[in-house]
Amino acid sequence: MAYVETTRMGGEGTVAVVTLNRPETRNAFNSQMAMEIDEAFRSLADTDARVVILTSSSEHAFCSGADLKERMELSEAEWREQHEKFEQMFNTIADMPQPIIAEVDGFALAGGFEMALNCDFMVAAETAMFGLPEVTRGIMPGGGGSRLLARRIGVHRAVDNLFNMEPNQARMLEMIYYDKCLDTRDREEGVRAFVEKRTPRFIGQ
């Protein structure tokens, strides 16, 4: 079973959609899923896609970070190899020539939040939950979270969030982390209207 699906939309198929599809783990990415994400973005880099939307098949989670169950079974050498794969995935997203829009609903935690931070824009549903809980386990974010968060919201606020923030609902953080916060269905309409350069038709859901 593939953990990542790539589709095209728009009149000429110039809008690419990369969908995370591992709902049983809240889209926590293991080594296989990380490679699929990396391959999906690499395959789009040199195409006629003008924009890429990164989304989830589940309204309950955008991505909850790395799969810690898999990590527990790895040796130190295997863990380092896995971390290199994760770094490559984040770098591929960040280096994409097309603008990337993260369409966030549900949990966006740890590496999942970092994945969204590596995108150019974030549009969040009101049910989105953001957080970098790594510090509760005695580690720092491994996907560039501290650097990317500081770039987006400023160093002092980023430091405070890194060490003190519990996962927070999207509406509480509106215009701090991301670009727009909408109801779940309106979030999808907002993203599509943005990439199609038209006025959105919101329905309040």
Side-chain angles (χ1 to χ4, degrees):
M1 174 182 176
Y3 295 135
V4 178
E5 299 174 359
T6 302
T7 56
R8 303 289 286 268
M9 59 177 283
E12 300 177 356
T14 53
V15 178
V17 182
V18 176
T19 303
L20 307 179
N21 187 32
R22 200 181 178 216
E24 68 276 9
T25 66
R26 291 179 175 172
N27 286 328
F29 51 84
N30 57 13
S31 298
Q32 179 62 35
M33 185 173 178
M35 288 191 293
E36 290 184 23
I37 294 169
D38 184 71
E39 290 170 1
F41 278 94
R42 285 179 183 274
S43 70
L44 292 168
D46 296 324
T47 68
D48 62 349
R50 296 179 182 175
V51 63
V52 182
I53 299 170
L54 177 60
T55 188
S56 165
S57 63
S58 170
E59 65 182 26
H60 302 296
F62 172 74
C63 177
S64 58
D67 187 339
L68 299 182
K69 290 183 178 179
E70 181 188 52
R71 184 175 297 180
M72 292 288 290
E73 298 174 356
L74 301 179
S75 67
E76 182 69 16
E78 290 171 332
W79 176 82
R80 291 183 182 278
E81 182 179 347
Q82 182 195 59
H83 190 71
E84 290 180 2
K85 293 177 183 177
F86 291 170
E87 285 185 350
Q88 179 175 308
M89 173 191 70
F90 288 126
N91 290 337
T92 296
I93 295 172
D95 293 340
M96 285 288 287
Q98 299 96 332
I100 314 299
I101 303 172
E103 187 181 283
V104 182
D105 200 357
F107 292 101
L109 303 175
F113 188 17
E114 291 175 295
M115 193 181 300
L117 285 169
N118 273 288
C119 296
D120 299 289
F121 303 96
M122 276 190 270
V123 177
E126 289 190 358
T127 54
M129 294 282 288
F130 295 90
L132 292 168
E134 289 92 335
V135 293
T136 64
R137 300 182 177 91
I139 57 177
M140 289 296 289
S146 54
R147 169 178 53 82
L148 294 167
L149 190 59
R151 183 181 299 170
R152 183 174 283 266
I153 68 174
V155 173
H156 298 295
R157 182 177 286 173
V159 170
D160 179 65
N161 277 252
L162 282 167
F163 289 100
N164 298 308
M165 189 183 75
E166 295 293 330
N168 283 299
Q169 288 188 342
R171 183 60 74 182
M172 296 173 62
L173 304 173
E174 186 173 13
M175 302 308 291
I176 297 177
Y177 293 149
Y178 50 85
D179 306 281
K180 293 187 183 298
C181 179
L182 301 166
D183 291 328
T184 300
R185 292 185 182 176
D186 283 346
R187 172 211 55 173
E188 298 173 355
E189 167 62 12
V191 171
R192 281 152 180 75
F194 177 83
V195 300
E196 294 171 7
K197 297 182 179 180
R198 60 174 172 80
T199 302
R201 297 183 289 271
F202 295 133
I203 59 175
Q205 295 183 5

